[in-house]
Amino acid sequence: MKFRPMAIFEYIGARFTVLMEELGGIFSTFLQSIGLLFVPPFRLKLFFKQMEFIGVESSFIVLLTGAFTGMVFALQTSYAFRLFGAENLIGPSVALSLARELGPVLTGLMVTGRVGSAMAAELGTMRVTEQIDALSTMSINPVQYLITPRVLSSIIMLPMLTVLFDFIGIIGSYFMAVFLLGINGNRFISDTIYMVDLKDVYVGLLKAAVFGAIIAVVGCYEGYFAQKGAEGVGKAATQAVVISSVSILIADYFLTALLF
Amino acid sequence: MRIDIKGLRKSFGNNVVLDGIDLTIEDGKTTVIVGQTGCGKSVLIKHIIGLLKPDSGQIVVNGVDITGLKHSEFTGILKNFGVLFQSSALFDSMTVGENVAFPLQEHTGLSPAKVMDIVKEKLAIVGLKGVERLYPSELSGGMKKRVGLARAIALDPKVLIFDEPTTGLDPVMSDTIDNLIMNTQKHLGVTSIVISHDIAGTFKIAHWIAMLYKGKVVLYGSPDDFRNTKDPIVRQFLERRAEGPLQVEA
């Protein structure tokens, strides 16, 4: 076979085109789903069902991750701070890192694994078994019926889960610092309150809301446009987790640069 | 409702699926569309129910060209259509009762008790009783088709579309479904469009038959026209022969 140097550029170009199409599709799905939020009928039951699935049912996994993240963070920072005799900074540094960074990002990644993949699999199955076509033929807009409640619920529930993550993480680090490392409990609390601004918390929550939108839109998009039967559904679920996770980390960088 | 399909063309990339289809679906009659797998039968149906937009051509429903309609205008017309999908397309997160009740809840302001009455009535029409609380995964293929039909007729549509209603069913169940299609058509006076591969069933239920080949209608006529035709393509298809002008695409 003859070597064609242009083939490399053709390959890169083709991949880039696919990527841009995918991003365009995801963004237009997001705009459509938000636009349809203001068009009747309003199906409150679907919103509550999704909020329960995304929020309430994810709370245990978020609590578990949050507690251990806070504890391990306290343990790790204590080694460094002890060198300078600055153990009192354990509380504030854990709280700041959780509120600004770890809370929203780790909550986002945990929920992606649990919820994003489930959304892609559910909608993908509905696509390949013609259930989405059935909705259309019953004069029901499938985007409004399936995607809008998931996107809105995810945008609302992710910040709430992040609050839970932050709170339980700080409690975890408190127990680690006070009971295992022997730091004064009152000092831990007062230093933490003194060093952490409200802005640190709410910018973290804003990030979480953006991650919520990413998780739901990507999961729904991949499932909604799934093709080729069971294989397509599996691929949609994998793609949803990969694209959401990478997008969360990239979005996190830009949001941090812009907002803090 | 009368449906006129005029010069309908649709391609996917370089693959021409519909190459100028002209077909009339008569009001109150059953028209069966036959043809080889992949000849564009399902694509044609998807155009009629608005899931696909044609490259060119018209679909005129009761004098209105639906191809150029806005989504909101089209939804009004779509409410007159009931569709039984090939895979039944029941919502698997809902029970049988909820599936049949779904279009009623979405499009009528009826009380839950009244909706339940209609659900029972429609399930009785398709010969099912006491299955309201079951989930689709607990049903056999034939039962799923019947529930799908009950859901399709829930809103008393004027046009019923059946996408391969007997594919994958045993001969007895196939005949039961054929009888159901005939009875529904007779009692509700609906216009029925059936996509089928089942030759015996087609001759039983059809008032009119259209055969598609290479994106065109090769023959449109009554079951007798089909029985008596000398067209080699149609003959080969009806006689289930692998040898002849019809080729299986590689």
Side-chain angles (χ1 to χ4, degrees), chain A residues 41 43 49 122 125-126 128-141 145, chain B residues 46 49 51 75 78-79 83 85-87 89-92 94 102-103 106-107 151 163:
Chain A
R43 299 178 177 90
K49 196 177 156 198
E122 189 182 351
T125 307
M126 289 187 76
V128 300
T129 55
E130 298 179 305
Q131 292 177 53
I132 292 180
D133 287 346
L135 278 174
S136 296
T137 56
M138 288 181 212
S139 310
I140 293 159
N141 187 328
Y145 189 83
Chain B
K46 284 187 175 169
I49 51 182
L51 291 176
T75 32
L78 206 51
K79 282 177 191 162
V83 184
F85 286 90
Q86 196 173 344
S87 59
L90 298 177
F91 301 121
D92 42 26
M94 298 181 190
F102 186 73
E106 285 289 328
H107 295 302
R151 187 178 69 181
D163 189 358

mmCIF file of all heavy atoms in Angstrom, chain A residues 41 43 49 122 125-126 128-141 145, chain B residues 46 49 51 75 78-79 83 85-87 89-92 94 102-103 106-107 151 163:
data_model
loop_
_atom_site.group_PDB
_atom_site.id
_atom_site.type_symbol
_atom_site.label_atom_id
_atom_site.label_comp_id
_atom_site.label_asym_id
_atom_site.label_seq_id
_atom_site.Cartn_x
_atom_site.Cartn_y
_atom_site.Cartn_z
ATOM 1 N N PRO A 41 -47.599 20.882 28.101
ATOM 2 C CA PRO A 41 -47.966 20.595 29.498
ATOM 3 C C PRO A 41 -46.751 20.484 30.430
ATOM 4 O O PRO A 41 -45.676 20.093 29.984
ATOM 5 C CB PRO A 41 -48.650 19.228 29.362
ATOM 6 C CG PRO A 41 -47.998 18.589 28.183
ATOM 7 C CD PRO A 41 -47.687 19.702 27.237
ATOM 8 N N ARG A 43 -45.213 18.543 33.355
ATOM 9 C CA ARG A 43 -45.416 17.235 33.990
ATOM 10 C C ARG A 43 -44.603 17.159 35.279
ATOM 11 O O ARG A 43 -43.494 16.630 35.303
ATOM 12 C CB ARG A 43 -45.019 16.122 33.026
ATOM 13 C CG ARG A 43 -45.832 16.108 31.741
ATOM 14 C CD ARG A 43 -45.354 15.009 30.830
ATOM 15 N NE ARG A 43 -46.134 14.894 29.625
ATOM 16 C CZ ARG A 43 -45.871 15.543 28.492
ATOM 17 N NH1 ARG A 43 -44.843 16.355 28.433
ATOM 18 N NH2 ARG A 43 -46.636 15.369 27.431
ATOM 19 N N LYS A 49 -40.013 12.501 40.059
ATOM 20 C CA LYS A 49 -39.479 11.145 39.917
ATOM 21 C C LYS A 49 -37.972 11.203 39.608
ATOM 22 O O LYS A 49 -37.178 10.462 40.174
ATOM 23 C CB LYS A 49 -40.227 10.446 38.770
ATOM 24 C CG LYS A 49 -40.056 8.959 38.754
ATOM 25 C CD LYS A 49 -40.886 8.342 37.642
ATOM 26 C CE LYS A 49 -40.277 7.011 37.259
ATOM 27 N NZ LYS A 49 -40.690 6.520 35.974
ATOM 28 N N GLU A 122 -31.243 3.791 29.568
ATOM 29 C CA GLU A 122 -32.711 3.791 29.544
ATOM 30 C C GLU A 122 -33.238 4.392 28.233
ATOM 31 O O GLU A 122 -34.071 3.792 27.546
ATOM 32 C CB GLU A 122 -33.249 4.576 30.744
ATOM 33 C CG GLU A 122 -34.754 4.431 30.884
ATOM 34 C CD GLU A 122 -35.326 5.230 32.032
ATOM 35 O OE1 GLU A 122 -34.545 5.781 32.842
ATOM 36 O OE2 GLU A 122 -36.565 5.327 32.114
ATOM 37 N N THR A 125 -32.379 2.160 25.219
ATOM 38 C CA THR A 125 -33.289 1.023 25.090
ATOM 39 C C THR A 125 -34.627 1.487 24.520
ATOM 40 O O THR A 125 -35.211 0.828 23.657
ATOM 41 C CB THR A 125 -33.506 0.363 26.470
ATOM 42 O OG1 THR A 125 -32.234 0.070 27.023
ATOM 43 C CG2 THR A 125 -34.306 -0.921 26.350
ATOM 44 N N MET A 126 -35.091 2.629 25.006
ATOM 45 C CA MET A 126 -36.364 3.158 24.486
ATOM 46 C C MET A 126 -36.247 3.467 22.998
ATOM 47 O O MET A 126 -37.202 3.292 22.237
ATOM 48 C CB MET A 126 -36.776 4.417 25.244
ATOM 49 C CG MET A 126 -37.218 4.156 26.665
ATOM 50 S SD MET A 126 -37.868 5.628 27.458
ATOM 51 C CE MET A 126 -39.481 5.754 26.716
ATOM 52 N N VAL A 128 -34.136 1.952 20.718
ATOM 53 C CA VAL A 128 -34.029 0.773 19.855
ATOM 54 C C VAL A 128 -35.284 -0.101 19.911
ATOM 55 O O VAL A 128 -35.508 -0.909 19.031
ATOM 56 C CB VAL A 128 -32.761 -0.075 20.139
ATOM 57 C CG1 VAL A 128 -31.507 0.743 19.924
ATOM 58 C CG2 VAL A 128 -32.770 -0.659 21.535
ATOM 59 N N THR A 129 -36.124 0.069 20.936
ATOM 60 C CA THR A 129 -37.376 -0.697 20.975
ATOM 61 C C THR A 129 -38.558 0.156 20.495
ATOM 62 O O THR A 129 -39.707 -0.162 20.785
ATOM 63 C CB THR A 129 -37.670 -1.231 22.391
ATOM 64 O OG1 THR A 129 -37.669 -0.119 23.293
ATOM 65 C CG2 THR A 129 -36.648 -2.245 22.843
ATOM 66 N N GLU A 130 -38.265 1.240 19.805
ATOM 67 C CA GLU A 130 -39.267 2.117 19.165
ATOM 68 C C GLU A 130 -40.161 2.859 20.154
ATOM 69 O O GLU A 130 -41.177 3.434 19.759
ATOM 70 C CB GLU A 130 -40.141 1.308 18.189
ATOM 71 C CG GLU A 130 -39.373 0.687 17.032
ATOM 72 C CD GLU A 130 -40.267 -0.125 16.096
ATOM 73 O OE1 GLU A 130 -40.949 -1.030 16.583
ATOM 74 O OE2 GLU A 130 -40.284 0.171 14.890
ATOM 75 N N GLN A 131 -39.813 2.840 21.459
ATOM 76 C CA GLN A 131 -40.679 3.536 22.430
ATOM 77 C C GLN A 131 -40.649 5.052 22.225
ATOM 78 O O GLN A 131 -41.643 5.737 22.465
ATOM 79 C CB GLN A 131 -40.253 3.198 23.864
ATOM 80 C CG GLN A 131 -40.503 1.750 24.240
ATOM 81 C CD GLN A 131 -40.012 1.408 25.638
ATOM 82 O OE1 GLN A 131 -40.356 2.070 26.603
ATOM 83 N NE2 GLN A 131 -39.195 0.389 25.748
ATOM 84 N N ILE A 132 -39.489 5.566 21.764
ATOM 85 C CA ILE A 132 -39.404 7.013 21.516
ATOM 86 C C ILE A 132 -40.253 7.379 20.293
ATOM 87 O O ILE A 132 -40.969 8.389 20.301
ATOM 88 C CB ILE A 132 -37.927 7.458 21.356
ATOM 89 C CG1 ILE A 132 -37.217 7.297 22.719
ATOM 90 C CG2 ILE A 132 -37.823 8.897 20.870
ATOM 91 C CD1 ILE A 132 -35.765 7.699 22.736
ATOM 92 N N ASP A 133 -40.218 6.509 19.252
ATOM 93 C CA ASP A 133 -41.084 6.738 18.089
ATOM 94 C C ASP A 133 -42.554 6.683 18.502
ATOM 95 O O ASP A 133 -43.382 7.454 18.008
ATOM 96 C CB ASP A 133 -40.835 5.665 17.017
ATOM 97 C CG ASP A 133 -39.500 5.874 16.311
ATOM 98 O OD1 ASP A 133 -38.925 6.961 16.467
ATOM 99 O OD2 ASP A 133 -39.047 4.951 15.621
ATOM 100 N N ALA A 134 -42.868 5.756 19.423
ATOM 101 C CA ALA A 134 -44.259 5.637 19.882
ATOM 102 C C ALA A 134 -44.714 6.935 20.551
ATOM 103 O O ALA A 134 -45.838 7.397 20.326
ATOM 104 C CB ALA A 134 -44.397 4.468 20.845
ATOM 105 N N LEU A 135 -43.826 7.541 21.340
ATOM 106 C CA LEU A 135 -44.173 8.828 21.978
ATOM 107 C C LEU A 135 -44.499 9.869 20.905
ATOM 108 O O LEU A 135 -45.502 10.578 20.991
ATOM 109 C CB LEU A 135 -43.012 9.335 22.834
ATOM 110 C CG LEU A 135 -42.857 8.764 24.239
ATOM 111 C CD1 LEU A 135 -41.577 9.293 24.858
ATOM 112 C CD2 LEU A 135 -44.038 9.147 25.120
ATOM 113 N N SER A 136 -43.618 9.939 19.891
ATOM 114 C CA SER A 136 -43.830 10.923 18.816
ATOM 115 C C SER A 136 -45.173 10.713 18.140
ATOM 116 O O SER A 136 -45.896 11.674 17.877
ATOM 117 C CB SER A 136 -42.746 10.814 17.752
ATOM 118 O OG SER A 136 -41.506 11.129 18.294
ATOM 119 N N THR A 137 -45.504 9.439 17.850
ATOM 120 C CA THR A 137 -46.759 9.208 17.125
ATOM 121 C C THR A 137 -47.971 9.461 18.003
ATOM 122 O O THR A 137 -49.079 9.564 17.502
ATOM 123 C CB THR A 137 -46.845 7.770 16.571
ATOM 124 O OG1 THR A 137 -46.685 6.868 17.657
ATOM 125 C CG2 THR A 137 -45.796 7.496 15.537
ATOM 126 N N MET A 138 -47.757 9.546 19.331
ATOM 127 C CA MET A 138 -48.879 9.918 20.204
ATOM 128 C C MET A 138 -48.916 11.434 20.418
ATOM 129 O O MET A 138 -49.500 11.913 21.397
ATOM 130 C CB MET A 138 -48.741 9.220 21.551
ATOM 131 C CG MET A 138 -49.018 7.753 21.494
ATOM 132 S SD MET A 138 -48.853 7.075 23.150
ATOM 133 C CE MET A 138 -48.281 5.457 22.776
ATOM 134 N N SER A 139 -48.261 12.173 19.526
ATOM 135 C CA SER A 139 -48.212 13.639 19.594
ATOM 136 C C SER A 139 -47.582 14.141 20.886
ATOM 137 O O SER A 139 -47.969 15.170 21.418
ATOM 138 C CB SER A 139 -49.602 14.258 19.467
ATOM 139 O OG SER A 139 -50.276 13.746 18.377
ATOM 140 N N ILE A 140 -46.641 13.371 21.418
ATOM 141 C CA ILE A 140 -45.938 13.815 22.623
ATOM 142 C C ILE A 140 -44.489 14.080 22.227
ATOM 143 O O ILE A 140 -43.849 13.214 21.622
ATOM 144 C CB ILE A 140 -46.013 12.743 23.724
ATOM 145 C CG1 ILE A 140 -47.456 12.618 24.195
ATOM 146 C CG2 ILE A 140 -45.101 13.074 24.895
ATOM 147 C CD1 ILE A 140 -47.772 11.333 24.867
ATOM 148 N N ASN A 141 -44.014 15.284 22.550
ATOM 149 C CA ASN A 141 -42.641 15.629 22.196
ATOM 150 C C ASN A 141 -41.684 14.825 23.078
ATOM 151 O O ASN A 141 -41.638 15.041 24.296
ATOM 152 C CB ASN A 141 -42.436 17.131 22.405
ATOM 153 C CG ASN A 141 -41.093 17.594 21.899
ATOM 154 O OD1 ASN A 141 -40.124 16.843 21.936
ATOM 155 N ND2 ASN A 141 -41.038 18.822 21.431
ATOM 156 N N TYR A 145 -40.731 15.242 27.059
ATOM 157 C CA TYR A 145 -41.190 14.206 27.984
ATOM 158 C C TYR A 145 -40.020 13.509 28.678
ATOM 159 O O TYR A 145 -40.082 13.209 29.864
ATOM 160 C CB TYR A 145 -42.036 13.174 27.221
ATOM 161 C CG TYR A 145 -42.727 12.175 28.124
ATOM 162 C CD1 TYR A 145 -43.944 12.491 28.731
ATOM 163 C CD2 TYR A 145 -42.163 10.928 28.384
ATOM 164 C CE1 TYR A 145 -44.571 11.588 29.560
ATOM 165 C CE2 TYR A 145 -42.793 10.026 29.218
ATOM 166 C CZ TYR A 145 -44.005 10.356 29.801
ATOM 167 O OH TYR A 145 -44.622 9.465 30.634
ATOM 168 N N LYS B 46 -42.892 5.711 8.086
ATOM 169 C CA LYS B 46 -42.335 6.762 8.943
ATOM 170 C C LYS B 46 -42.574 8.148 8.353
ATOM 171 O O LYS B 46 -42.648 9.133 9.087
ATOM 172 C CB LYS B 46 -40.841 6.519 9.184
ATOM 173 C CG LYS B 46 -40.619 5.398 10.188
ATOM 174 C CD LYS B 46 -39.186 5.224 10.579
ATOM 175 C CE LYS B 46 -39.096 4.169 11.684
ATOM 176 N NZ LYS B 46 -37.765 3.742 11.973
ATOM 177 N N ILE B 49 -46.271 9.104 9.264
ATOM 178 C CA ILE B 49 -46.493 9.558 10.643
ATOM 179 C C ILE B 49 -45.497 10.644 11.063
ATOM 180 O O ILE B 49 -45.401 10.981 12.241
ATOM 181 C CB ILE B 49 -46.446 8.379 11.643
ATOM 182 C CG1 ILE B 49 -45.182 7.546 11.461
ATOM 183 C CG2 ILE B 49 -47.688 7.526 11.520
ATOM 184 C CD1 ILE B 49 -45.106 6.339 12.379
ATOM 185 N N LEU B 51 -42.228 10.873 11.192
ATOM 186 C CA LEU B 51 -40.945 10.619 11.851
ATOM 187 C C LEU B 51 -39.789 10.921 10.909
ATOM 188 O O LEU B 51 -38.665 11.126 11.344
ATOM 189 C CB LEU B 51 -40.853 9.165 12.328
ATOM 190 C CG LEU B 51 -41.774 8.776 13.496
ATOM 191 C CD1 LEU B 51 -41.663 7.292 13.794
ATOM 192 C CD2 LEU B 51 -41.460 9.584 14.740
ATOM 193 N N THR B 75 -49.120 17.864 14.831
ATOM 194 C CA THR B 75 -49.566 17.079 15.992
ATOM 195 C C THR B 75 -51.084 16.944 16.002
ATOM 196 O O THR B 75 -51.611 15.921 16.410
ATOM 197 C CB THR B 75 -49.117 17.689 17.337
ATOM 198 O OG1 THR B 75 -49.074 19.081 17.202
ATOM 199 C CG2 THR B 75 -47.807 17.191 17.798
ATOM 200 N N LEU B 78 -51.827 14.183 13.683
ATOM 201 C CA LEU B 78 -51.282 12.926 14.203
ATOM 202 C C LEU B 78 -52.209 12.264 15.222
ATOM 203 O O LEU B 78 -52.189 11.044 15.393
ATOM 204 C CB LEU B 78 -49.914 13.220 14.846
ATOM 205 C CG LEU B 78 -48.897 12.098 14.921
ATOM 206 C CD1 LEU B 78 -48.700 11.432 13.584
ATOM 207 C CD2 LEU B 78 -47.579 12.637 15.434
ATOM 208 N N LYS B 79 -53.036 13.076 15.880
ATOM 209 C CA LYS B 79 -53.949 12.507 16.884
ATOM 210 C C LYS B 79 -54.980 11.576 16.244
ATOM 211 O O LYS B 79 -55.637 10.809 16.933
ATOM 212 C CB LYS B 79 -54.647 13.628 17.661
ATOM 213 C CG LYS B 79 -53.743 14.235 18.711
ATOM 214 C CD LYS B 79 -54.384 15.382 19.439
ATOM 215 C CE LYS B 79 -53.326 16.102 20.280
ATOM 216 N NZ LYS B 79 -53.739 17.442 20.668
ATOM 217 N N VAL B 83 -50.717 3.780 15.903
ATOM 218 C CA VAL B 83 -49.662 2.983 15.283
ATOM 219 C C VAL B 83 -49.345 1.762 16.140
ATOM 220 O O VAL B 83 -49.147 1.884 17.350
ATOM 221 C CB VAL B 83 -48.368 3.817 15.103
ATOM 222 C CG1 VAL B 83 -47.307 3.001 14.373
ATOM 223 C CG2 VAL B 83 -48.654 5.106 14.351
ATOM 224 N N PHE B 85 -46.451 -0.746 16.467
ATOM 225 C CA PHE B 85 -45.077 -0.914 16.008
ATOM 226 C C PHE B 85 -44.688 -2.382 15.922
ATOM 227 O O PHE B 85 -45.278 -3.236 16.579
ATOM 228 C CB PHE B 85 -44.120 -0.188 16.957
ATOM 229 C CG PHE B 85 -44.157 1.299 16.785
ATOM 230 C CD1 PHE B 85 -45.037 2.075 17.508
ATOM 231 C CD2 PHE B 85 -43.324 1.927 15.874
ATOM 232 C CE1 PHE B 85 -45.091 3.442 17.338
ATOM 233 C CE2 PHE B 85 -43.365 3.296 15.697
ATOM 234 C CZ PHE B 85 -44.254 4.056 16.434
ATOM 235 N N GLN B 86 -43.658 -2.618 15.116
ATOM 236 C CA GLN B 86 -43.151 -3.975 14.902
ATOM 237 C C GLN B 86 -42.805 -4.642 16.238
ATOM 238 O O GLN B 86 -43.126 -5.790 16.469
ATOM 239 C CB GLN B 86 -41.915 -3.885 14.018
ATOM 240 C CG GLN B 86 -41.501 -5.185 13.410
ATOM 241 C CD GLN B 86 -40.380 -4.974 12.409
ATOM 242 O OE1 GLN B 86 -40.112 -3.867 11.967
ATOM 243 N NE2 GLN B 86 -39.720 -6.035 12.049
ATOM 244 N N SER B 87 -42.151 -3.866 17.120
ATOM 245 C CA SER B 87 -41.747 -4.432 18.416
ATOM 246 C C SER B 87 -42.797 -4.141 19.490
ATOM 247 O O SER B 87 -42.485 -4.225 20.675
ATOM 248 C CB SER B 87 -40.406 -3.849 18.816
ATOM 249 O OG SER B 87 -40.515 -2.438 18.896
ATOM 250 N N ALA B 89 -43.504 -1.721 20.982
ATOM 251 C CA ALA B 89 -43.103 -0.433 21.567
ATOM 252 C C ALA B 89 -43.904 -0.060 22.805
ATOM 253 O O ALA B 89 -44.213 1.102 23.033
ATOM 254 C CB ALA B 89 -43.187 0.685 20.516
ATOM 255 N N LEU B 90 -44.223 -1.061 23.634
ATOM 256 C CA LEU B 90 -44.895 -0.732 24.901
ATOM 257 C C LEU B 90 -43.868 -0.090 25.832
ATOM 258 O O LEU B 90 -42.699 -0.459 25.808
ATOM 259 C CB LEU B 90 -45.452 -2.008 25.537
ATOM 260 C CG LEU B 90 -46.511 -2.752 24.726
ATOM 261 C CD1 LEU B 90 -46.919 -4.031 25.441
ATOM 262 C CD2 LEU B 90 -47.732 -1.870 24.492
ATOM 263 N N PHE B 91 -44.330 0.851 26.660
ATOM 264 C CA PHE B 91 -43.403 1.484 27.611
ATOM 265 C C PHE B 91 -43.128 0.479 28.724
ATOM 266 O O PHE B 91 -44.031 0.133 29.492
ATOM 267 C CB PHE B 91 -44.003 2.771 28.167
ATOM 268 C CG PHE B 91 -44.320 3.767 27.088
ATOM 269 C CD1 PHE B 91 -45.607 4.238 26.915
ATOM 270 C CD2 PHE B 91 -43.337 4.207 26.219
ATOM 271 C CE1 PHE B 91 -45.904 5.141 25.908
ATOM 272 C CE2 PHE B 91 -43.623 5.101 25.204
ATOM 273 C CZ PHE B 91 -44.910 5.567 25.047
ATOM 274 N N ASP B 92 -41.879 0.003 28.805
ATOM 275 C CA ASP B 92 -41.636 -1.112 29.719
ATOM 276 C C ASP B 92 -41.586 -0.709 31.188
ATOM 277 O O ASP B 92 -41.566 -1.564 32.055
ATOM 278 C CB ASP B 92 -40.387 -1.917 29.306
ATOM 279 C CG ASP B 92 -39.251 -1.034 28.878
ATOM 280 O OD1 ASP B 92 -39.210 0.122 29.331
ATOM 281 O OD2 ASP B 92 -38.405 -1.486 28.085
ATOM 282 N N MET B 94 -44.011 0.960 32.468
ATOM 283 C CA MET B 94 -45.421 1.102 32.862
ATOM 284 C C MET B 94 -46.126 -0.255 32.763
ATOM 285 O O MET B 94 -45.734 -1.103 31.965
ATOM 286 C CB MET B 94 -46.156 2.053 31.913
ATOM 287 C CG MET B 94 -45.637 3.452 31.881
ATOM 288 S SD MET B 94 -46.661 4.408 30.728
ATOM 289 C CE MET B 94 -45.708 5.892 30.611
ATOM 290 N N PHE B 102 -52.186 5.718 28.813
ATOM 291 C CA PHE B 102 -51.260 6.833 28.569
ATOM 292 C C PHE B 102 -51.769 7.877 27.561
ATOM 293 O O PHE B 102 -51.845 9.067 27.890
ATOM 294 C CB PHE B 102 -49.895 6.271 28.153
ATOM 295 C CG PHE B 102 -48.827 7.309 28.019
ATOM 296 C CD1 PHE B 102 -48.270 7.904 29.128
ATOM 297 C CD2 PHE B 102 -48.380 7.700 26.765
ATOM 298 C CE1 PHE B 102 -47.290 8.871 29.002
ATOM 299 C CE2 PHE B 102 -47.398 8.663 26.626
ATOM 300 C CZ PHE B 102 -46.851 9.246 27.751
ATOM 301 N N PRO B 103 -52.163 7.460 26.328
ATOM 302 C CA PRO B 103 -52.651 8.484 25.387
ATOM 303 C C PRO B 103 -53.912 9.195 25.882
ATOM 304 O O PRO B 103 -54.099 10.383 25.610
ATOM 305 C CB PRO B 103 -52.937 7.706 24.095
ATOM 306 C CG PRO B 103 -52.803 6.276 24.406
ATOM 307 C CD PRO B 103 -52.125 6.122 25.717
ATOM 308 N N GLU B 106 -52.861 11.787 28.406
ATOM 309 C CA GLU B 106 -52.139 12.902 27.799
ATOM 310 C C GLU B 106 -53.049 13.820 26.983
ATOM 311 O O GLU B 106 -52.825 15.023 26.928
ATOM 312 C CB GLU B 106 -51.022 12.364 26.892
ATOM 313 C CG GLU B 106 -49.822 11.826 27.655
ATOM 314 C CD GLU B 106 -49.005 12.932 28.318
ATOM 315 O OE1 GLU B 106 -48.939 14.042 27.774
ATOM 316 O OE2 GLU B 106 -48.447 12.671 29.404
ATOM 317 N N HIS B 107 -54.060 13.239 26.342
ATOM 318 C CA HIS B 107 -54.820 14.042 25.384
ATOM 319 C C HIS B 107 -56.283 14.268 25.721
ATOM 320 O O HIS B 107 -57.003 14.900 24.958
ATOM 321 C CB HIS B 107 -54.716 13.410 23.983
ATOM 322 C CG HIS B 107 -53.318 13.437 23.450
ATOM 323 N ND1 HIS B 107 -52.607 14.602 23.295
ATOM 324 C CD2 HIS B 107 -52.492 12.444 23.060
ATOM 325 C CE1 HIS B 107 -51.413 14.320 22.828
ATOM 326 N NE2 HIS B 107 -51.313 13.014 22.684
ATOM 327 N N ARG B 151 -53.618 0.020 22.819
ATOM 328 C CA ARG B 151 -53.117 1.389 23.026
ATOM 329 C C ARG B 151 -53.309 2.225 21.766
ATOM 330 O O ARG B 151 -53.668 3.400 21.847
ATOM 331 C CB ARG B 151 -51.631 1.344 23.415
ATOM 332 C CG ARG B 151 -51.079 2.692 23.803
ATOM 333 C CD ARG B 151 -49.634 2.621 24.222
ATOM 334 N NE ARG B 151 -48.750 2.308 23.095
ATOM 335 C CZ ARG B 151 -47.431 2.168 23.196
ATOM 336 N NH1 ARG B 151 -46.850 2.291 24.379
ATOM 337 N NH2 ARG B 151 -46.701 1.901 22.148
ATOM 338 N N ASP B 163 -47.146 -2.044 11.627
ATOM 339 C CA ASP B 163 -45.829 -2.335 11.063
ATOM 340 C C ASP B 163 -45.492 -3.796 11.358
ATOM 341 O O ASP B 163 -45.170 -4.145 12.489
ATOM 342 C CB ASP B 163 -44.777 -1.400 11.671
ATOM 343 C CG ASP B 163 -43.432 -1.510 10.977
ATOM 344 O OD1 ASP B 163 -43.307 -2.329 10.048
ATOM 345 O OD2 ASP B 163 -42.509 -0.778 11.362
#
